[in-house]
Amino acid sequence: MKTFIQNYIKKSKETKELILKNETIISEIEKIALAIIEAYKNNKKVLIAGNGGSAGDAQHLAAELVSKFLLERPALSAIALTTNTSILTSVGNDYDHELVFARQISAHAHNGDIFIAISTSGESKNIIRAIEEAKKQKMIIIGLTGQNSATIDTMCDYIIKVPSSETPIIQESHIMIEHLICALIEKQLYN
């Protein structure tokens, strides 16, 4: 067990070191933070979606933005599209599971709002449909995914591809990136 634990931690650390050394990813994190900051300056909101662990990440990120990350500051508008079970189940039942996020984007989004699509595979049908709807609403689209080539790669205005193909490692890196974005937003808007 000890060897397994050590190897897992090593793999997670190596992925984060690859991110640290990747100027493209670092630059993309900065561009994403600036895009969200600009949206907030213009009274826009952030909508976030993902499936499974990425749904948890969507909720976590929304909580950090609405409540606070590190600084005492006003609440920022962020909605995790993963949380209302009545909406998720009614859209899934009345229409199709592929539309559970797209339908909410149709209801809540406006030109210039941000949509953050979290998908370790980049192939989730409901995320793809949500991005399509976000494009119709003229949202700024941010994608977080893994290293493998994916459908969402070319659909997003900004994309971060974590250099791993292992879902848990990708998710750990996504949450680190999301935390960095929150810290940059707070620092620029309120520090």
Side-chain angles (χ1 to χ4, degrees), residues 80-111:
L81 303 179
T82 57
T83 59
N84 188 320
T85 55
S86 294
I87 291 173
L88 296 172
T89 56
S90 68
V91 172
N93 183 61
D94 297 346
Y95 296 97
D96 189 296
H97 180 70
E98 287 184 16
L99 298 176
V100 295
F101 303 134
R103 190 85 174 158
Q104 293 181 75
I105 288 171
S106 178
H108 297 299
H110 296 94
N111 185 347

Side-chain angles (χ1 to χ4, degrees), residues 42 44-45 109-114 134 136-140:
N42 290 300
K44 301 298 181 180
K45 65 185 156 302
H110 296 94
N111 185 347
D113 285 344
I114 304 280
K136 287 181 195 172
Q137 302 297 329
K138 295 183 172 48
M139 297 181 79
I140 296 162

Side-chain angles (χ1 to χ4, degrees), residues 51 98 118-129 131 144-146 148-153 155 161:
N51 293 288
E98 287 184 16
I118 309 170
S119 175
T120 58
S121 70
E123 296 295 336
S124 302
K125 298 260 190 272
N126 57 12
I127 292 294
I128 292 166
R129 294 294 294 272
I131 292 171
L144 299 176
T145 189
N148 297 336
S149 181
T151 300
I152 74 165
D153 292 353
M155 298 177 76
K161 296 181 70 61

